[in-house]
Amino acid sequence: MATKRTYAYSGRNASGRMVKGKLDGTTESDVVARMRSMGLSPVSIAEAAAGTGLQREISVPGFRKRVSLKDLAVASRQLATMLASGLSLLRALTILAEQTENDALRGVFDDVRSDVEAGSSLSDSVARHETVFPRLMIHLIRAGETGGFLDGALESIASNFESDVKLRQTIKSAVTYPVAVLVMAILAVIGMIVFIVPVFEGMFAGFDADLPAPTQFLVVLSANMVWLLPLLLVATIAVATWWRLNKHRDAVRSRTDAFALKVPVFGELFRKVAIARFSRNLAAMMTSGVPILQSLAVVSETSGNWVIEDALHRVQDSVRTGNSIAVPMAKEPVFPEMVTQMVAVGEDAGSLEIMLGKVADFYDDEVQSTAESLTSLIEPIMIGVIGVIIGGMIVALYLPVFTIFDQIG
């Protein structure tokens, strides 16, 4: 089997403008054929040499640009628009690969285009990059190919991903403020212990008086910060590394996701997000004609919460034995009664995907309003907590002053 090489090419398009780029191919003739399929007249073709020195692309482990859900949403909508306009799939993929801004995604689309050009279907080509493309996207593309509405399936994918991106941004905006305030509070406390407490300790050293217990605690803590700070830093790095390596394990997710749903204030928000994502994804799968059991299997993996994923597995097992979806869903406490009732009505009326879409729209609005109310609620709470911590430290530092005044009196 011939080895693929990367060729640098230049050619003129239909308007006479010079176009330059790179293409993968086994021979120069292969590249010429691909250029002509792109509507280009070849001018020069040469094998691209690996970059050297400052021209070499630098890849730092852990800092490679990732393919985000927003990138996939934009690419899906662009591909759907081009296909709906009458462009061939191969030509549309070529254009998409050239204009995609994300370097990692551009390389993936180059591979997908090469596979399609070699005779593979789009769904099979995309499935070879399952670390980049979610299973939901792969199955919707396959359903669109089978049903002859690939552009419609891609539009559905784009709309679905755009709504999911909006949900994630809402969550980030609700969580960012308290996290930022908490980090600032921790840094302020560490700064006071490291720099201010020793000053007060030196002031009180010349007085023959016992320090109150709160002040003595701060003094001891300050004296031990020499080894406590490095220990805290190492522990933080160790926990972050462990979390990055193990956060996707079922044993970990079963505990952390269940705990997330029970967290005061934020737990209800997380549940609404998971239900909105489940409803929207299932509606999209069913609208595209994906079988219900296959839809439930895919949707359970994309719900984003282990508790809902586990519940959907039980729903799937029940449906496999001949039951409706609403009956086993009603037995799962994670699903609100309104959701199960809407699903039951949709099944009876033969419009389940429509009802699921309405559920997703409802919970999208609920997430937005809940996030806004949480922000207004958390702000005074965080201010109060910080005030108690910083104020308590200040009172502890000034307690010896009152003791000294009592001795002088």
Side-chain angles (χ1 to χ4, degrees):
M1 184 175 180
T3 304
K4 282 190 176 182
R5 298 182 177 87
T6 300
Y7 292 87
Y9 70 86
S10 62
R12 296 189 182 277
N13 58 17
S15 61
R17 185 171 65 89
M18 183 67 72
V19 178
K20 296 182 179 181
K22 293 182 180 180
L23 286 173
D24 293 332
T26 55
T27 63
E28 291 188 10
S29 299
D30 184 24
V31 176
V32 169
R34 293 182 61 181
M35 289 180 65
R36 294 192 184 282
S37 69
M38 295 163 55
L40 298 176
S41 298
V43 174
S44 65
I45 299 174
E47 186 173 348
T52 57
L54 295 178
Q55 294 180 337
R56 183 181 296 276
E57 182 179 354
I58 300 176
S59 178
V60 181
F63 290 91
R64 183 180 178 183
K65 190 174 183 181
R66 301 169 63 184
V67 178
S68 67
L69 206 59
K70 185 176 181 180
D71 294 327
L72 294 178
V74 172
S76 299
R77 191 165 299 281
Q78 289 175 340
L79 186 57
T81 301
M82 287 187 285
L83 292 178
S85 300
L87 288 178
S88 66
L89 177 59
L90 187 59
R91 181 72 183 276
L93 287 173
T94 300
I95 296 173
L96 189 62
E98 290 180 349
Q99 68 182 20
T100 300
E101 296 181 358
N102 188 302
D103 293 336
L105 188 57
R106 184 186 300 118
V108 170
F109 275 126
D110 274 333
D111 293 339
V112 170
R113 179 188 57 191
S114 298
D115 291 338
V116 170
E117 192 175 22
S120 297
S121 65
L122 178 60
S123 57
D124 290 339
S125 303
V126 168
R128 295 189 181 98
H129 303 274
E130 57 182 9
T131 58
V132 176
F133 300 106
R135 282 192 65 194
L136 177 73
M137 184 175 181
I138 297 171
H139 283 277
L140 287 178
I141 290 176
R142 182 168 288 121
E145 286 180 324
T146 303
F149 53 92
L150 182 57
D151 55 340
L154 289 166
E155 284 283 355
S156 177
I157 292 170
S159 299
N160 188 284
F161 286 175
E162 286 166 357
S163 298
D164 207 352
V165 168
K166 185 178 179 181
L167 269 182
R168 295 185 182 190
Q169 290 175 343
T170 301
I171 293 296
K172 286 181 180 179
S173 64
V175 175
T176 298
Y177 177 79
V179 170
V181 172
L182 181 62
V183 170
M184 292 176 62
I186 293 175
L187 293 177
V189 169
I190 293 177
M192 290 185 65
I193 293 175
V194 172
F195 300 106
I196 297 181
V197 172
V199 175
F200 278 83
E201 181 185 6
M203 291 171 53
F204 301 141
F207 297 96
D208 187 16
D210 294 331
L211 297 178
T215 310
Q216 186 64 39
F217 172 76
L218 290 179
V219 169
V220 173
L221 188 60
S222 177
N224 289 277
M225 287 302 283
V226 176
W227 62 271
L228 280 177
L229 273 181
L231 179 63
L232 179 63
L233 180 61
V234 171
T236 302
I237 295 175
V239 170
T241 303
W242 180 90
W243 174 253
R244 184 177 181 181
L245 296 175
N246 296 277
K247 63 181 179 180
H248 296 300
R249 293 175 53 199
D250 287 342
V252 176
R253 292 182 61 224
S254 62
R255 291 173 173 80
T256 56
D257 288 356
F259 175 76
L261 296 180
K262 298 177 182 178
V263 172
V265 183
F266 285 99
E268 189 63 24
L269 177 62
F270 294 149
R271 184 168 78 143
K272 290 177 180 178
V273 170
I275 292 176
R277 183 178 290 126
F278 146 74
S279 303
R280 187 186 309 105
N281 291 347
L282 186 56
M285 296 284 284
M286 296 190 67
T287 301
S288 299
V290 181
I292 185 61
L293 288 176
Q294 188 177 353
S295 298
L296 288 172
V298 174
V299 168
S300 65
E301 297 180 5
T302 58
S303 63
N305 187 280
W306 186 91
V307 177
I308 290 184
E309 180 180 334
D310 187 52
L312 287 175
H313 285 321
R314 288 191 289 272
V315 172
Q316 183 183 5
D317 293 337
S318 180
V319 172
R320 187 178 288 111
T321 61
N323 291 321
S324 65
I325 301 177
V327 172
M329 278 185 65
K331 299 177 182 178
E332 301 294 338
V334 71
F335 295 110
E337 185 177 354
M338 187 204 79
V339 176
T340 58
Q341 291 296 329
M342 293 278 282
V343 170
V345 171
E347 285 183 311
D348 292 340
S351 57
L352 180 56
E353 62 275 11
I354 297 177
M355 286 298 182
L356 287 169
K358 292 182 181 296
V359 171
D361 292 339
F362 172 78
Y363 276 99
D364 282 344
D365 294 337
E366 280 288 297
V367 169
Q368 189 68 37
S369 60
T370 302
E372 292 175 356
S373 62
L374 281 179
T375 302
S376 60
L377 174 65
I378 288 174
E379 185 173 353
I381 294 177
M382 295 298 294
I383 292 175
V385 170
I386 293 174
V388 170
I389 295 175
I390 303 299
M393 293 183 64
I394 293 175
V395 170
L397 290 176
Y398 277 95
L399 278 178
V401 176
F402 302 114
T403 304
I404 293 171
F405 283 156
D406 289 341
Q407 288 181 353
I408 294 176

